[in-house]
Amino acid sequence: MGQVFITRVIPGTAVETLREAGHEVEVWPEAGPPPPDVLAARLAAADAAMTMVVDRVTPSMLDTAPRLKVLANMAVGYDNIDPAEAAKRGVRVTNTPGVLAETTADMAFALLMAAARNVVASDRDTRAGGWTTWSPTGFLGQDVFGATLGIVGLGEIGEAMARRALGFRMRVVYTSRTRKPEAEARFGCRFVEIGELLAQSDFVSLHVPLNGSTRGMIGARELRLMKTSAILVNTARGQVVDQGALIAALRDGVIGGAALDVTDPEPLPLENPLYTFSNVIITPHIASASLATRAKMAEMAAANIIAVLAGQAPINPVN
Ligand code: NAP
Ligand code: GLV
């Protein structure tokens, strides 16, 4: 029997699953996240917490949470928690790998298509009364079929992206921390260094986790290596891109456009210059947001909590 704090209302039956396992569950009822002082107070009284990507759990919060045994992040990314600091304090950290890969790749591909074919810009224009005639030159986009897709980070989501690209007869190049010969054979994709990938790709899609080696990996230099027509798709984390450099590149026509499900910070303040570009699409960090997938992520997080509170090893440990 443990006290479980869940930082947001979650879809599916995970709360019932935790209660059926004998745990007392408190769900933060508001639309926004618990403020840091509230999160610290709840963690201080909890044996387990289910956290979201926007819940920054600091080492000082962990210092005042002597009972806490597990932080089950309802996400595959866990850059909102320092797993090493948690481990020092005996707190297990878990995530939700795999279960969201297809859904997230669906969204990354949707963003790619929408940017390539001006779906959002033309919808916006139509609603504003801009559809006055059929024009042979209106909203000319780029073909997706036959184009080159550059995948940065060929993990679960990157691979799901490669599978989609095959169906569109795209040429796929990738770069990753380690080479993936099996994926190369299966998807016919080719490993290249990041510079070559940026130079060759019509679409660059980011699928790396945010960590010390990926923070700011797409900066001014990298953007200059891209084709002037190329579109950057980011469903990874906002901080993987140097956002100031991206704004400058869009302003100066260095790249063709961007489709961003993640930004720095989140939410992106309305005065941010990114909103001023018609060739930029911004969605509010929803790549894994299908009902079925979010429910599975919540169940996976609940299963990790149940395992740890039962004295077992977590199912999806990250520390
Ligand atoms: P994954 O399976 O762990 O794949 C990540 C890939 O990135 C791995 O192949 C890894 O290489 C590679 N990588 C790590 N550091 C690298 C570096 N410095 N340079 C090049 N490649 C590097 O994770 P995933 O499930 O695909 O998820 C990826 C990320 O997407 C998550 O961490 C999260 O931040 C983000 N995400 C966002 C949403 C959203 O709602 N927008 C949803 C889901 C995930 P190795 O194979 O060699 O380790
Ligand atoms: C979402 O951003 C995740 O990392 O699952």
Side-chain angles (χ1 to χ4, degrees):
M1 169 84 77
Q3 184 68 39
V4 180
F5 179 57
I6 304 182
T7 63
R8 214 65 56 76
V9 174
I10 51 173
T13 54
V15 172
E16 288 74 38
T17 303
L18 285 161
R19 287 189 174 134
E20 279 161 18
H23 301 301
E24 263 189 38
V25 181
E26 183 196 352
V27 178
W28 178 250
E30 296 182 19
D37 57 326
V38 175
L39 179 59
R42 292 303 201 281
L43 294 180
D47 299 292
M50 193 185 298
T51 48
M52 312 294 140
V53 285
V54 293
D55 299 315
R56 186 148 298 284
V57 180
T58 62
S60 64
M61 287 179 188
L62 297 176
D63 284 337
T64 54
R67 287 166 53 177
L68 193 67
K69 291 179 191 61
V70 55
L71 288 166
N73 218 34
M74 201 188 109
V76 65
Y78 48 86
D79 44 279
N80 54 315
I81 302 169
D82 184 333
E85 291 295 331
K88 276 189 213 161
R89 292 156 179 86
V91 178
R92 301 306 303 260
V93 179
T94 68
N95 69 344
T96 62
V99 69
L100 45 55
E102 299 294 341
T103 301
T104 303
D106 277 353
M107 181 69 180
F109 216 85
L111 286 172
L112 183 160
M113 298 279 289
R117 297 303 306 277
N118 297 308
V119 172
V120 176
S122 62
D123 175 81
R124 210 180 286 132
D125 184 71
T126 302
R127 288 166 196 267
W131 191 6
T132 54
T133 181
W134 182 87
S135 164
T137 56
F139 293 108
L140 297 180
Q142 5 184 346
D143 287 322
V144 172
F145 77 90
T148 296
L149 170 64
I151 297 176
V152 179
L154 199 73
E156 301 250 24
I157 302 168
E159 275 205 21
M161 207 49 191
R163 274 197 300 281
R164 281 157 182 71
L166 269 189
F168 280 78
R169 290 190 283 129
M170 296 180 91
R171 181 175 161 263
V172 180
V173 292
Y174 79 96
T175 193
S176 210
R177 201 166 43 178
T178 48
R179 215 173 147 164
K180 320 275 175 176
E182 220 185 272
E184 289 175 27
R186 225 166 338 129
F187 310 121
C189 52
R190 202 162 66 79
F191 178 86
V192 291
E193 293 303 331
I194 181 98
E196 202 181 330
L197 179 143
L198 294 167
Q200 288 186 10
S201 300
D202 300 299
F203 302 92
V204 174
S205 195
L206 306 179
H207 300 289
V208 289
L210 176 64
N211 57 38
S213 70
T214 60
R215 190 178 294 276
M217 82 188 287
I218 304 296
R221 185 183 152 273
E222 287 72 27
L223 291 161
R224 273 198 306 275
L225 292 174
M226 289 172 66
K227 295 182 184 180
T228 53
S229 56
I231 287 164
L232 179 70
V233 180
N234 190 5
T235 58
R237 285 289 183 270
Q239 296 93 326
V240 171
V241 176
D242 174 342
Q243 203 164 270
L246 175 61
I247 291 166
L250 289 160
R251 186 195 58 218
D252 299 340
V254 171
I255 65 169
L260 311 170
D261 184 54
V262 287
T263 57
D264 180 20
E266 293 180 7
L268 189 67
L270 273 179
E271 57 276 14
N272 191 284
L274 281 172
Y275 289 114
T276 63
F277 300 109
S278 61
N279 55 347
V280 172
I281 299 172
I282 302 168
T283 52
H285 201 147
I286 56 167
S288 68
S290 76
L291 177 57
T293 289
R294 285 279 169 85
K296 283 185 210 156
M297 291 162 67
E299 281 296 341
M300 212 164 167
N304 277 290
I305 290 173
I306 290 167
V308 174
L309 294 189
Q312 295 159 11
I315 304 154
N316 310 102
V318 299
N319 70 353

